[in-house]
Amino acid sequence: FQLYNMSSGLALNTTYYNVSSQVSVNFTGLVDGWYYINVTATDTANSKNTSNLRGFLIDATVPLLSYASQTFSNNSNFSVTTAYANVSLTESNFANFTFQLYNMSSGLALNTTYYNASSQAAVNFTGLIDGWYYINVTTTDTVNHKNTSNLRGFLIDLGTPVFTVGF
């Protein structure tokens, strides 16, 4: 049995068995990454047969997701009809981002935006009316590990304050 690291192409482990029956091997302590394995069998007449390379991915790491500096703070107040959100990601096997905008009063998702661009993504929610909203962002990697951001809430308040002066 030979185990190769895809990045370096180097054989990480070569294991020899002198048996005439079925054999299995368990490679332990492998870090995240792509690997290849193949097997060569040799008989007593020195005839050999080598299997095709078989590839596999080990990914035990959950994506690291964070809001980027341009994103509004939690509990922000806007007098405009837009809200901009930007996130960054640390993940070697990225699949996608999903931004979701919710109306706090109804709890309904008003907008779901999907990105399959890696490392950083942003969305500008437009056409918002007065009210409280919140967003969250979920990222998924190629082996379906997910991470969801903290909720970020914000208030859209376009109204002009009205006051009366009493004498």
Side-chain angles (χ1 to χ4, degrees):
F1 293 87
Q2 286 192 301
L3 176 68
Y4 301 89
N5 179 290
M6 182 178 159
S7 300
S8 68
L10 298 175
L12 299 177
N13 186 306
T14 301
T15 305
Y16 298 98
Y17 290 98
N18 188 10
V19 295
S20 60
S21 61
Q22 183 175 339
V23 173
S24 62
V25 63
N26 184 16
F27 297 106
T28 60
L30 300 176
V31 298
D32 285 4
W34 278 97
Y35 296 88
Y36 288 107
I37 189 168
N38 77 337
V39 177
T40 300
T42 307
D43 64 16
T44 56
N46 207 26
S47 298
K48 294 182 180 185
N49 188 7
T50 301
S51 70
N52 292 329
L53 285 175
R54 304 287 177 144
F56 61 94
L57 171 66
I58 293 179
D59 180 356
T61 305
V62 174
L64 177 61
L65 177 69
S66 62
Y67 288 107
S69 61
Q70 303 92 339
T71 302
F72 57 87
S73 299
N74 192 29
N75 296 320
S76 292
N77 187 337
F78 300 113
S79 295
V80 295
T81 61
T82 64
Y84 178 79
N86 186 0
V87 293
S88 59
L89 172 71
T90 303
E91 172 59 47
S92 56
N93 300 305
F94 172 79
N96 63 65
F97 286 111
T98 304
F99 287 81
Q100 291 190 293
L101 172 68
Y102 295 89
N103 179 292
M104 275 193 183
S105 300
S106 68
L108 296 176
L110 301 176
N111 182 300
T112 300
T113 304
Y114 173 86
Y115 284 99
N116 59 5
S118 62
S119 79
Q120 192 166 14
V123 65
N124 192 24
F125 299 108
T126 61
L128 302 175
I129 60 172
D130 283 3
W132 277 98
Y133 300 87
Y134 64 91
I135 67 163
N136 77 343
V137 183
T138 301
T139 187
T140 307
D141 68 13
T142 57
V143 296
N144 210 32
H145 289 132
K146 295 178 187 264
N147 194 0
T148 300
S149 69
N150 293 328
L151 294 176
R152 288 267 175 121
F154 60 96
L155 172 66
I156 299 290
D157 183 3
L158 301 171
T160 304
V162 175
F163 65 94
T164 57
V165 176
F167 291 98

